[in-house]
């Protein structure tokens, strides 16, 4: 079975890249004849445009001059520029009658659609209706996409590798960690406010570790203004897998107070390392995190309850251990990358 998968260049950061890398690492390319076509380079605007059109022209030549055939196309899409790029590609593939799987990742796709003019909304819906099947990150997103298109939508959760964890001294776990883009949307500044409220009430050995790109200097400046430098570590973006693993192993809590999300890969990764999760009731997160079972959920912007959840966990090692074990089992049973790629191959075969 010949499959073309289309997404971002694997040099870029973000959820799509992590998903694709996991697919390759789990051996999807050994189960099908898989060709990967990156269409976004992750550089400046003009480089990205040039890069995309070279890839688009190359695909056009393959399809229309070299008569290259694919049994299935698997497209990863977000919103805004990602939608525009993938719309052109969908049209090329549709004209060649190639079945298309559209794998939706955009945490802000609803806002992108709702804030568009009527003509743009129609264009979005028409594009979604050209594909064979839409993969949505959880039932919440599945139900949403079904309101704006007629294409069959299937819920497919993100997935990660279960980890073989060594028993570790809990005294070495000192980080309250978040990873990703540092921004208002991710609730980064809410975390700073939480730390400000908790200063002096929690053991000073615990540190908030904010790893990621985005508004790094702005975040550091805010921390400095509030006199919280002793509570924070802001290392910037970390790409080294060994270093990422080391951070998770030294973390006691994973916290992601986002204002919108799909199904965050960072939450699943943290769960696989046996961490309790504190997050918000957005996207598909409530289908993954159950209050008092494997973490705590609060409303976006609820700094008081965010702080309460952090404080409650740090004072209850048994709760941390119980929630961590629940998350390890949940990854093995429900969000296991090996099971996920088997489901994807089945979808390929059905198409």
């Amino acid at each position: 079975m010949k499959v073309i998968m289309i997404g971002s260049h694997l040099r870029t950061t973000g959820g799509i890249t992590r998903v694709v890398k996991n697919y390759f690492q789990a051996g999807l390319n050994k189960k099908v004849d898989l060709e990967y076509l990156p269409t976004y380079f992750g550089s400046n605007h003009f480089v990205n445009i040039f890069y995309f059109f070279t890839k688009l022209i190359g695909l056009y030549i393959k399809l229309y001059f070299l008569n290259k055939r694919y049994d299935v196309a698997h497209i990863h899409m977000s919103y805004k520029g990602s939608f525009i790029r993938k719309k052109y590609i969908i049209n090329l593939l549709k004209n060649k009658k190639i079945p298309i799987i559209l794998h939706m990742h955009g945490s802000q796709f609803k806002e992108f659609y709702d804030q568009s003019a009527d003509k743009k909304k129609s264009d979005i819906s028409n594009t979604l209706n050209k594909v064979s099947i839409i993969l949505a990150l959880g039932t919440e997103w599945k139900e949403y996409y079904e309101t704006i298109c007629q294409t069959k939508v299937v819920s497919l959760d993100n997935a990660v590798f279960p980890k073989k964890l060594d028993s570790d001294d809990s005294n070495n776990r000192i980080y309250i960690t978040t990873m990703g883009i540092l921004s208002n949307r991710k609730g980064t500044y809410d975390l700073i406010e939480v730390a400000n409220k908790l200063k002096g009430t929690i053991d000073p050995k615990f540190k908030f570790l904010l790893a990621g790109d985005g508004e790094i200097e702005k975040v550091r400046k805010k921390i400095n203004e509030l006199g919280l430098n002793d509570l924070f570590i802001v290392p910037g973006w970390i790409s080294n897998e060994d270093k990422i693993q080391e951070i998770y192993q030294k973390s006691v809590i994973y916290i992601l107070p986002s204002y919108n999300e799909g199904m965050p890969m960072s939450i699943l990764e943290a769960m696989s390392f046996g961490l309790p999760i504190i997050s918000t009731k957005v996207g598909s997160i409530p289908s993954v995190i159950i209050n008092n079972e494997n973490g705590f959920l609060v409303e976006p912007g609820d700094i008081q309850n965010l702080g309460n959840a952090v404080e409650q966990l740090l004072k209850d090692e048994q709760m941390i251990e119980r929630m961590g074990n629940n998350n390890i089992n949940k990854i093995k049973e429900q969000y296991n990358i090996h099971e996920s790629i088997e489901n994807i191959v089945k979808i390929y075969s059905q198409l």
Side-chain angles (χ1 to χ4, degrees), residues 98-316:
I98 297 171
I100 302 169
I101 297 170
L102 189 59
H103 200 152
M104 301 297 290
H105 296 266
S107 59
Q108 292 179 273
F109 195 90
K110 187 177 187 299
E111 288 83 354
F112 169 61
Y113 181 84
D114 290 347
Q115 295 169 11
S116 296
D118 288 344
K119 186 176 180 181
K120 181 65 175 291
K121 286 181 178 177
S122 178
D123 181 43
I124 295 170
S125 293
N126 287 338
T127 299
L128 298 183
N129 285 330
K130 290 178 180 178
V131 306
S132 308
I133 191 170
I134 292 174
L135 299 183
L137 301 181
T139 54
E140 292 83 358
W141 279 105
K142 174 182 183 295
E143 291 168 359
Y144 170 70
Y145 290 122
E146 287 174 339
T147 68
I148 62 172
C149 70
Q150 284 77 52
T151 299
K152 179 182 178 182
V153 185
V154 172
S155 173
L156 181 74
D157 296 329
N158 278 338
V160 296
F161 292 91
K163 306 297 188 299
K164 293 181 179 178
L165 301 177
D166 297 326
S167 59
D168 193 16
D169 184 352
S170 60
N171 290 326
N172 290 330
R173 292 183 172 265
I174 60 170
Y175 297 146
I176 303 160
T177 299
T178 189
M179 292 194 186
I181 297 171
L182 307 186
S183 65
N184 274 315
R185 182 178 77 80
K186 290 287 189 177
T188 307
Y189 300 97
D190 292 346
L191 277 182
I192 297 174
E193 293 299 326
V194 166
N196 197 28
K197 287 181 176 294
L198 294 179
K199 186 174 183 179
T201 67
I202 61 174
D203 190 323
K205 76 174 183 179
F206 295 114
K207 309 292 181 185
F208 287 83
L209 191 148
L210 314 182
D213 52 10
E215 300 171 6
I216 298 172
E217 293 308 317
K218 185 178 176 181
V219 166
R220 287 173 176 162
K221 181 179 178 182
K222 181 67 175 177
I223 291 168
N224 187 58
E225 287 173 353
L226 293 174
L228 300 174
N229 289 310
D230 58 327
L231 274 179
F232 280 91
I233 299 171
V234 187
W237 182 262
I238 299 172
S239 57
N240 183 283
E241 292 294 332
D242 291 337
K243 182 64 176 176
I244 292 171
Q245 182 167 323
E246 180 186 338
I247 288 172
Y248 279 125
Q249 289 173 336
K250 289 185 177 181
S251 297
V252 64
I253 298 170
Y254 189 82
I255 185 165
L256 186 67
S258 295
Y259 284 76
N260 50 51
E261 284 290 351
M263 180 176 283
M265 291 292 290
S266 66
I267 281 183
L268 298 179
E269 284 287 350
M271 288 169 62
S272 74
F273 280 94
L275 300 183
I277 308 297
I278 301 173
S279 193
T280 46
K281 300 173 184 177
V282 297
S284 292
I285 294 174
S287 68
V288 182
I289 306 303
I290 309 299
N291 266 323
N292 294 308
E293 178 184 299
N294 61 334
F296 292 106
L297 293 179
V298 304
E299 296 294 337
D302 188 346
I303 292 168
Q304 182 63 48
N305 280 321
L306 272 175
N308 291 344
V310 172
E311 194 170 15
Q312 184 176 349
L313 278 169
L314 292 183
K315 292 180 177 179
D316 193 336

